[in-house]
Amino acid sequence: MNANTKTVAFVNLKGGVGKTTSAIGTAEALARLGHTVTVRDADPSGAATLWAHKALSAGRPLPFGVEVVNRFTVAAPAEEEWVLIDTPPLQTDLVEAAVDAADLVLLVTTTGPIDLERMLETIRPVNKHHHTAPDQTPHTPTS
């Protein structure tokens, strides 16, 4: 176990907003900078796991591990410096478990009105679990 592990959860209760892409891209960047990283795939669709499998099949394995987790294992201790959690849409129990495990929560969204609306819905459980004071509520840009 690495006592200095930093855990980041990529969250939004809506699917298709780029959580997996953001987690994989961030893990790739951290690995290129020389950090040890693992991506925890908490999404039952297994998109991050599929990404790792396709990269391996193409002869270009990812420079970090991808492991399947659930709401009971998402917060398990890690040896790596960085743990990035790819969360599912709609499954609030998994999202809440990831938020609880995280040192940093990144709300991933696109600029579409439905995506932004769902992000605002996602902020409520994040604030609840991280006990964010009202003056620390994340700012949502408007067009």
Side-chain angles (χ1 to χ4, degrees):
M1 182 174 123
N2 183 344
N4 296 317
T5 297
K6 295 162 224 50
T7 301
V8 181
F10 294 80
V11 303
N12 191 321
L13 292 174
K14 184 177 181 309
V17 295
K19 296 181 296 286
T20 302
T21 302
S22 297
I24 295 290
T26 302
E28 178 77 28
L30 287 167
R32 285 184 183 191
L33 291 171
H35 297 282
T36 57
V37 185
T38 191
V39 171
R40 292 192 173 164
D41 190 352
D43 188 343
S45 75
T49 303
L50 178 60
W51 197 316
H53 175 73
K54 285 187 173 188
L56 183 61
S57 295
R60 296 190 322 248
L62 298 175
F64 51 87
V66 176
E67 61 185 55
V68 176
V69 296
N70 59 43
R71 66 187 175 113
F72 303 109
T73 60
V74 71
E79 293 295 325
E80 295 82 6
E81 296 171 274
W82 290 89
V83 171
L84 308 181
I85 306 170
D86 180 28
T87 63
L90 302 174
Q91 296 185 331
T92 55
D93 60 333
L94 279 169
V95 173
E96 288 174 359
V99 167
D100 284 344
D103 299 305
L104 175 66
V105 176
L106 296 178
L107 295 163
V108 181
T109 191
T110 67
T111 58
I114 294 173
D115 295 354
L116 289 170
E117 183 179 310
R118 191 59 63 91
M119 185 192 70
L120 291 172
E121 291 173 21
T122 306
I123 289 172
R124 289 184 199 99
V126 169
N127 284 344
K128 177 178 132 188
H129 285 273
H130 273 259
H131 309 290
T132 304
D135 63 334
Q136 295 174 331
T137 300
H139 172 71
T140 303
T142 57
S143 10

